[in-house]
Amino acid sequence: MWARDRRTMANLVNDFFEIDERGSSISHELNAGMTTFLAMVYITVVNPLILTDAGMDFGAVFVATCAAAAFGCLVMGLVSNYPIGLAPGMGQNAFFTYAIVIGSGQPWQSALGAVFISGVLFLLISLSPLRAWLINSIPRNLKLGMAAGIGFFLALIALKNAGIVTASEATLITLGDLKSFPAVMALLGFFVITALASRGLRSAVILGVAFASVIGWFTGQADFIGFASMPPSVEPVLFQLDIGQAFDLSMLSIILTLLLVDLFDTAGTLVGVATRANLVDADGKLRRLDRALVADSSATVVGALLGTSSTTSFVESAAGVESGGRTGLTAVTGGILFLVCLLFAPLAQSIPAYAASAALLFVSGSMAQSLLDIEWQDITEAAPAITTALMMPFSFSIADGIGVGFISFVLIKVVAGKQHDVPIALWFVAAIFGAKFSLL
């Protein structure tokens, strides 16, 4: 009886998420969800740390971060069937704290109001055909360049967080201390993941992260905080947004900036990760894109109500895709784990940054493989694609990398006399980014 019920449930899950159709299995999806969660879990600590500089309560923001991530992941998985995790975004939280609150002198309640309004605008755009039209109009080679650029971006983040590379006044960036424990463990973790992946082990990323974490705990180089505890209260930030103040004229540029960054950061992540997961049709268009856009934008709205900065699709979702994730069950698994994280916060906070760096470094190489499929024989296609890929890490912004890539695509095509190859949407987006960059 129990075995029959279990088979029936497995069949229902399989049919709902189209697991067989996408060449995956329930076990692969669950493993990928765990991998995505482990690659993203740092945000549950980093986001509260950044938002406390804006005067917000750490414990409350921790709960809001986990809840917003869980909501975003569950909606993305159940509604759009994409293997993409969501959480309050890095970059957006820094802009929230250091540009809006500290830089502009706005209270964090007003900043949350601005995030809410930008999220509502984002949702309205997502419900219209405009945003899907914009994203699906991106030429195939630019999409491949975006996927590779995300890989380069992940590599830079991983190397920086592990101390393998560091800032330099003379050369901008230079080699860090390779003898340091974080650098050694990040590289060892990367080697372990790569070796296990070469043997076809789907759980290679999880095992590599666990390997680096356990060594850190036993050697005393990383703090093992514990397994479980009751979550703190979210009340200090829950529904504390000031929408009225956010409608002040002085907040207009802030709202538009939040909208623009969220719009194209998400576009880059969706295109890059979905392309790598083979979730595009023969014409290079993303399937169920409209549902993915609604899931992403609604997560920002809910996140603002809960008390955190903009929630967005996470580039670290690529880790789950490389572990075999192809359906929304990957995202749903990540969402459930974020809810569980509320109780197992000490364990989540015990995973050292260098362990996550090992996973991201492995994923970055896989993402960069997209460069192989670029039409290198057509320089008017290849040059904008590689420009997009390089500008993402060098500008430390997915959105800005896309902007420079789009502008280069349009200008190169025009000068080459191939302006008919430029979709109307790209003219529009390139003009927006041109105006944005000219006002910097």
Side-chain angles (χ1 to χ4, degrees):
M1 180 72 176
W2 165 247
R4 187 176 67 238
D5 290 343
R6 189 171 60 180
R7 284 196 301 270
T8 301
M9 178 61 69
N11 290 335
L12 289 174
V13 171
N14 182 77
D15 293 342
F16 181 84
F17 290 107
E18 302 173 351
I19 294 175
D20 284 345
E21 294 177 32
R22 298 190 186 182
S24 186
S25 68
I26 292 178
S27 61
H28 289 164
E29 296 298 313
L30 296 177
N31 175 71
M34 172 68 80
T35 301
T36 296
F37 171 75
L38 289 176
M40 293 174 59
V41 72
Y42 71 88
I43 198 64
T44 63
V45 178
V46 176
N47 193 54
L49 284 174
I50 292 176
L51 265 56
T52 53
D53 286 346
M56 302 176 72
D57 180 79
F58 180 94
V61 175
F62 167 79
V63 176
T65 301
C66 291
F71 174 84
C73 290
L74 291 171
V75 174
M76 180 65 77
L78 294 172
V79 174
S80 71
N81 202 16
Y82 270 45
I84 294 178
L86 291 88
M90 292 295 295
Q92 286 96 324
N93 50 16
F95 180 77
F96 179 98
T97 296
Y98 304 113
I100 303 177
V101 177
I102 296 176
S104 300
Q106 297 287 345
W108 59 263
Q109 292 88 345
S110 299
L112 282 178
V115 170
F116 177 82
I117 294 173
S118 71
V120 171
L121 293 174
F122 194 11
L123 180 58
L124 292 175
I125 293 174
S126 299
L127 290 171
S128 74
L130 175 62
R131 193 170 169 216
W133 171 68
L134 286 174
I135 295 176
N136 280 327
S137 296
I138 300 173
R140 178 176 179 273
N141 288 291
L142 275 182
K143 288 179 178 177
L144 293 171
M146 290 161 66
I150 289 174
F152 294 152
F153 190 43
L154 284 175
L156 181 58
I157 292 173
L159 295 171
K160 173 180 174 292
N161 289 348
I164 297 172
V165 300
T166 187
S168 168
E169 291 187 6
T171 61
L172 187 63
I173 189 171
T174 189
L175 191 65
D177 182 7
L178 293 183
K179 300 187 299 295
S180 69
F181 188 84
V184 170
M185 292 312 304
L187 290 174
L188 282 178
F190 167 66
F191 298 154
V192 169
I193 293 171
T194 304
L196 293 178
S198 72
R199 294 173 174 268
L201 197 61
R202 291 275 186 170
S203 56
V205 175
I206 294 176
L207 292 175
V209 171
F211 167 80
S213 299
V214 170
I215 291 180
W217 297 336
F218 276 98
T219 58
Q221 296 292 327
D223 294 329
F224 180 75
I225 302 173
F227 280 104
S229 67
M230 290 300 296
S233 172
V234 72
E235 188 175 351
V237 298
L238 183 66
F239 301 133
Q240 295 300 310
L241 65 167
D242 187 342
I243 299 177
Q245 179 61 32
F247 275 112
D248 188 86
L249 188 61
S250 63
M251 296 290 284
L252 178 60
S253 62
I254 290 173
I255 292 172
L256 291 177
T257 300
L258 286 168
L259 176 61
L260 190 65
V261 170
D262 205 3
L263 179 67
F264 289 103
D265 252 11
T266 299
T269 300
L270 284 176
V271 169
V273 177
T275 299
R276 189 64 188 164
N278 296 320
L279 297 178
V280 295
D281 60 22
D283 298 324
K285 295 182 178 180
L286 276 68
R287 308 186 191 103
R288 296 187 177 182
L289 175 60
D290 53 342
R291 299 185 185 185
L293 301 178
V294 169
D296 189 286
S297 52
S298 61
T300 291
V301 174
V302 172
L305 294 172
L306 290 169
T308 185
S309 51
S310 301
T311 302
T312 187
S313 298
F314 249 56
V315 66
E316 285 85 352
S317 303
V321 168
E322 292 305 322
S323 293
R326 293 294 181 270
T327 76
L329 183 56
T330 292
V332 169
T333 302
I336 293 172
L337 289 173
F338 271 112
L339 289 177
V340 174
C341 189
L342 289 170
L343 295 176
F344 291 89
L347 181 60
Q349 295 174 41
S350 296
I351 298 174
Y354 55 75
S357 293
L360 296 183
L361 196 57
F362 170 77
V363 171
S364 67
S366 299
M367 295 291 290
Q369 292 179 29
S370 299
L371 293 175
L372 293 171
D373 298 322
I374 290 176
E375 296 177 44
W376 292 103
Q377 69 278 10
D378 185 347
I379 193 64
T380 66
E381 293 283 336
I386 194 63
T387 298
T388 303
L390 292 174
M391 283 304 299
M392 284 188 186
F394 290 143
S395 66
F396 214 76
S397 168
I398 293 175
D400 288 344
I402 292 173
V404 173
F406 283 10
I407 292 173
S408 68
F409 185 91
V410 171
L411 293 180
I412 289 173
K413 288 291 186 179
V414 169
V415 175
K418 296 183 177 181
Q419 57 271 15
H420 57 277
D421 290 345
V422 182
I424 296 175
L426 242 63
W427 289 97
F428 175 67
V429 176
I432 291 176
F433 274 108
K436 175 182 182 289
F437 294 146
S438 67
L439 295 175
L440 292 177

